[in-house]
Amino acid sequence: MPLKSLTINGFKSFADKTKIDFTSGITGIVGPNGSGKSNITEAIRWVMGEQSAKSLRGDKMVDVIFAGSATRPQMNRAEVILEFDNRNKELKTTQDEVVICRRLFRNGDTEFLINNKNCRLRDITELFMDSGMGKQSFSIISQGRVEAIFNSKPVERRSIIEESAGVSLFKQKKQQAENKLSDTTDNLHRVSDIVSELS
Ligand code: ATP
């Protein structure tokens, strides 16, 4: 599922609207320390639904909005747009091109869009589920993550292998099914209580 482009506007160090086109082959992004290379991968994780401000190196989510510099005032909105070529239908939608967008305003308002239509965060998460992409997939390896994997405990390493093998999704579905089963069992008990009260 090739990425076509990434557009960043008001996110972290990107005060100016910046579009990166990903042509075929490998795209390398180079620059001096502190020039914003990691901010680019964070923008990708953010638009795909990252909800942890800490994992984006901030305290609160509004910290991702451009905070101003010596020459520019702070901005009131961060926007990231990620465009996919979906002709091979790896994303579960009939569209050949999928464009996801996330906006955050300084007052905390947030917007998610898929192909220019407002949607919920959940719709974006579900779009990427089982696709190998997604905010926590191993298609994005942040600085220090490789070391963290090497130093992780066997149980943590097992969960990494399970996610790579696609087992996590089924574990999640199994857990959801078990929760539903437990809710239904509770409801059945309640119904049988009511029936015995009435009889
Ligand atoms: P390195 O090569 O050292 O890892 P890098 O190129 O990956 O650096 P980043 O870590 O992506 O650089 O960018 C850090 C820069 O982003 C810092 O200069 C920081 O001040 C700036 N920055 C982060 N958040 C904001 C924000 N909300 N507003 C303005 N600038 C920000």
Side-chain angles (χ1 to χ4, degrees):
M1 177 188 21
L3 289 183
K4 280 175 87 177
S5 72
L6 173 72
T7 308
I8 311 177
N9 191 2
F11 182 91
K12 292 211 163 191
S13 48
F14 291 88
D16 289 317
K17 187 171 182 177
T18 306
K19 186 172 184 202
I20 300 168
D21 287 310
F22 300 102
T23 47
S24 59
I26 294 172
T27 302
I29 295 168
V30 291
N33 288 354
S35 59
K37 302 181 296 292
S38 303
N39 292 345
I40 293 174
T41 53
E42 286 176 357
I44 295 177
R45 278 188 15 240
W46 186 70
V47 69
M48 288 200 295
E50 180 60 72
Q51 288 295 82
S52 157
K54 291 262 175 321
S55 87
L56 298 166
R57 298 177 295 167
D59 287 330
K60 350 178 242 331
M61 199 46 103
V62 286
D63 292 340
V64 302
I65 303 175
F66 176 71
S69 67
T71 52
R72 302 184 69 140
Q74 66 172 26
M75 291 174 75
N76 288 320
R77 185 186 79 158
E79 179 186 73
V80 176
I81 299 168
L82 189 57
E83 203 184 350
F84 294 90
D85 177 344
N86 192 41
R87 278 175 299 180
N88 57 12
K89 300 289 175 289
E90 280 182 73
L91 294 178
K92 286 186 200 101
T93 161
T94 50
Q95 272 127 338
D96 284 345
E97 190 183 271
V98 176
V99 182
I100 57 166
C101 171
R102 180 173 183 176
R103 295 188 190 121
L104 176 68
F105 299 84
R106 217 165 260 291
N107 66 5
D109 286 353
T110 189
E111 288 175 0
F112 290 94
L113 294 96
I114 298 177
N115 288 349
N116 279 323
K117 289 205 181 89
N118 283 303
C119 67
R120 300 163 303 174
L121 165 63
R122 195 176 155 184
D123 298 316
I124 293 197
T125 312
E126 286 181 0
L127 184 68
F128 291 107
M129 202 174 264
D130 217 11
S131 71
M133 284 289 283
K135 67 185 171 74
Q136 273 174 345
S137 80
F138 291 94
S139 46
I140 299 174
I141 307 276
S142 321
Q143 248 174 46
R145 187 108 188 260
V146 175
E147 204 185 331
I149 292 170
F150 277 127
N151 294 331
S152 58
K153 295 185 189 126
V155 176
E156 290 159 354
R157 218 172 293 164
R158 180 188 159 141
S159 78
I160 292 166
I161 293 166
E162 283 180 348
E163 188 177 327
S164 307
V167 178
S168 308
L169 177 72
F170 295 106
K171 274 192 153 179
Q172 191 186 328
K173 286 192 170 167
K174 184 181 166 208
Q175 185 60 52
Q176 284 167 353
E178 281 174 356
N179 291 347
K180 267 192 194 167
L181 197 61
S182 157
D183 288 349
T184 308
T185 310
D186 286 348
N187 287 341
L188 277 173
H189 284 144
R190 242 170 270 141
V191 170
S192 84
D193 284 349
I194 293 168
V195 169
S196 57
E197 264 173 37
L198 294 174
S199 55

